[in-house]
C-alpha cells in the first residue's frame, strides 16, 4: 500500500512557517544525498545481525513480551528517509506510515516498500498538516532530531498524533561538539585513516553551514531532550541502550568506518503520551 496522504510543500501557508528557508536548504541537502544514502554504514540495517537487534530493542522500548511483535499496531516513522527503519517495522508486523519532506527520499522508500503494509506521508515533521489527533500507537524517529529547526513544535505535534498511552522512540546521537575524550580520539584516528565512505568537500561544507544555524549546533544531549519532551506533555521518559544495535550494525565494516560511527554518543529515548 503506497499512498501520498498529504503534500504540504510550497503552499502559501507553508511559506509562512518559521524557518522556511533553512528548512528548504535542509530538504535539498537530504534530497541530494538520497541516491547513495543506503550505502552508509549508519543507515543501512543489515539483515542477519542488524534486524534481530532492532526487534529486541523495539520489544524493550515498547514493552512487548518475549515473542510479541507489532502485529496490529500503527506506527509513524518520522523522517523515514529511504525507509530502512520502516522496513524493520513492517517486518515486525506493524502498519507503518513513513513521513518525510523529501520527494527524493520517498522515491527510494516507495521502491523498497511498495508491497508492504506501508504508506508514504509527505510533510514537515514539525507541522503534521492533515494528520488527525490520536492516530498512532507508536512513533519512531532515527537521526532526525539533531536537524530540527523547532523541536518544541515537533514534539507537540508528535504528542498530538499519538493515541493516549502511545509511545515515542527517538534514536539519535551527539554528532557535533561536546563529545567525550574517547569519542574525540576515535574521530581523530578515523580521520587519519583512509575513509571508505568519503563525503565530498562540497557536501561537508553544506552540512557544516546548515549545522551552524541549527538549535542543536553544539550537540544533542539526551538529558536536555527529556526536558523538552516533558514540556510537550510526554511522561515517563527514559533511555534505553542502543549498544547492541550499533555493535551489530558495524560488523564487517572497515576500521575507519567503525571508529567514526562509534565516535558519537548514540542514545535512544522513549516517552509516553498520558493515557
Ligand atoms: C539522517 S536522515 C535519516 C533517515 C531515516 N530516519 C534513517 O534513519 O535511515 C534525515 C531524514 O530527515 C528528513 N527530514 C529532515 N528534516 C525534516 C523535516 N522537518 N520534516 C520531514 N522530514 C525531515 C530528511 O529528508 C531525511 O530523509
Amino acid at each position: 500500500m503506497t499512498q501520498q496522504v498529504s503534500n504540504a510543500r510550497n503552499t502559501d501557508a507553508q511559506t509562512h512557517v518559521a524557518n522556511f528557508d533553512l528548512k528548504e536548504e535542509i530538504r535539498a541537502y537530504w534530497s541530494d544525498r538520497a541516491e547513495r544514502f543506503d550505502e552508509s554504514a549508519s543507515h543501512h540495517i543489515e539483515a542477519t545481525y542488524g534486524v534481530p537487534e532492532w526487534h529486541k530493542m523495539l520489544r524493550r522500548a515498547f514493552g512487548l513480551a518475549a515473542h510479541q511483535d507489532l502485529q496490529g499496531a500503527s506506527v509513524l516513522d518520522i523522517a523515514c528517509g529511504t525507509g530502512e527503519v520502516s522496513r524493520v517495522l513492517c517486518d515486525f508486523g506493524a502498519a507503518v506510515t513513513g513521513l518525510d519532506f523529501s520527494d527524493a527520499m520517498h522515491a527510494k522508500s516507495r521502491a523498497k516498500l511498495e508491497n508492504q503494509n506501508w504508506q508514504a506521508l509527505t510533510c514537515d515533521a514539525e507541522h503534521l498538516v492533515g494528520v488527525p489527533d490520536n492516530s498512532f500507537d507508536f512513533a519512531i524517529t532515527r537521526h532526525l532530531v539533531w536537524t530540527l529547526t523547532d523541536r518544541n513544535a515537533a514534539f507537540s505535534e508528535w504528542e498530538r498524533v499519538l493515541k493516549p498511552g502511545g509511545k515515542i522512540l527517538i534514536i539519535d546521537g551527539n554528532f557535533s561538539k561536546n563529545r567525550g575524550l574517547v569519542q574525540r580520539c576515535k574521530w581523530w584516528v578515523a580521520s587519519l585513516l583512509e575513509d571508505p565512505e568519503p563525503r565530498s568537500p562540497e557536501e561537508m561544507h553544506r552540512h557544516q553551514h546548515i549545522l551552524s544555524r541549527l538549535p542543536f549546533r553544539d550537540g544533542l544531549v539526551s538529558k536536555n531532550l527529556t526536558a523538552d519532551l516533558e514540556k510537550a506533555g510526554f511522561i515517563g521518559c527514559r533511555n534505553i541502550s542502543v549498544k547492541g544495535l550499533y555493535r551489530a550494525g558495524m560488523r564487517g565494516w572497515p576500521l575507519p568506518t567503525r571508529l567514526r560511527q562509534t565516535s558519537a554518543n548514540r542514545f535512544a529515548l522513549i516517552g509516553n503520551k498520558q493515557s
Side-chain angles (χ1 to χ4, degrees):
M1 176 182 23
T2 302
Q3 179 195 337
Q4 185 136 320
V5 178
S6 125
N7 190 339
R9 181 174 170 187
N10 291 342
T11 62
D12 285 347
Q14 204 66 10
T15 54
H16 294 299
V17 158
N19 311 314
F20 180 80
D21 292 335
L22 177 55
K23 255 189 253 186
E24 282 302 296
E25 212 177 313
I26 295 170
R27 188 210 306 259
Y29 171 78
W30 290 117
S31 292
D32 290 347
R33 289 194 59 189
E35 191 54 42
R36 301 197 55 194
F37 204 60
D38 280 350
E39 293 170 23
S40 149
S42 57
H43 295 110
H44 174 67
I45 301 173
E46 182 274 333
T48 314
Y49 306 105
V51 172
E53 280 298 334
W54 266 83
H55 290 173
K56 260 197 254 169
M57 187 276 299
L58 290 170
R59 282 200 182 94
R60 275 204 310 276
F62 295 152
L64 306 178
H67 295 290
Q68 203 182 348
D69 62 15
L70 286 171
Q71 200 66 44
S74 55
V75 184
L76 178 64
D77 179 8
I78 305 168
C80 64
T82 60
E84 282 295 285
V85 173
S86 286
R87 178 170 62 79
V88 171
L89 292 166
C90 290
D91 190 51
F92 210 39
V96 183
T97 299
L99 177 162
D100 208 286
F101 69 176
S102 158
D103 291 335
M105 286 289 186
H106 260 158
K108 291 282 169 192
S109 55
R110 279 201 181 90
K112 199 178 285 178
L113 297 160
E114 62 184 349
N115 297 319
Q116 303 287 325
N117 191 359
W118 181 88
Q119 62 176 353
L121 169 60
T122 304
C123 86
D124 180 357
E126 298 174 6
H127 302 274
L128 304 190
V129 179
V131 182
D133 297 355
N134 308 327
S135 293
F136 298 98
D137 296 302
F138 302 105
I140 180 165
T141 187
R142 181 178 75 158
H143 302 167
L144 165 73
V145 170
W146 70 272
T147 184
L148 288 173
T149 66
D150 183 348
R151 62 184 176 281
N152 294 324
F155 293 172
S156 301
E157 281 289 83
W158 303 354
E159 200 265 349
R160 180 182 70 75
V161 302
L162 277 171
K163 294 178 186 171
K167 293 178 195 295
I168 173 75
L169 171 62
I170 296 175
I171 298 171
D172 224 302
N174 187 2
F175 302 103
S176 57
K177 295 178 204 157
N178 300 329
R179 285 182 289 193
L181 182 65
V182 174
Q183 272 95 2
R184 290 204 303 274
C185 287
K186 283 184 176 183
W187 181 264
W188 179 72
V189 175
S191 65
L192 295 178
L193 301 169
E194 194 183 342
D195 192 338
E197 281 187 68
R199 278 199 252 160
S200 69
E202 193 254 336
E203 204 172 52
M204 293 299 285
H205 175 76
R206 278 174 83 186
H207 178 272
Q208 283 307 325
H209 187 53
I210 289 172
L211 183 62
S212 68
R213 287 168 291 153
L214 288 173
F216 289 119
R217 59 184 162 270
D218 290 328
L220 182 59
V221 179
S222 119
K223 194 170 62 190
N224 302 343
L225 273 191
T226 300
D228 294 326
L229 285 173
E230 286 170 352
K231 225 188 294 165
F234 286 102
I235 55 170
C237 299
R238 66 189 167 89
N239 280 99
I240 57 168
S241 169
V242 284
K243 275 207 180 105
L245 286 193
Y246 287 95
R247 224 178 279 133
M250 288 300 105
R251 278 185 190 229
W253 285 89
L255 181 65
T257 308
R258 294 208 305 271
L259 287 172
R260 190 160 44 76
Q261 293 300 335
T262 53
S263 71
N265 286 320
R266 297 186 184 267
F267 61 84
L269 184 58
I270 182 106
N272 305 275
K273 177 165 172 170
Q274 304 231 22
S275 299

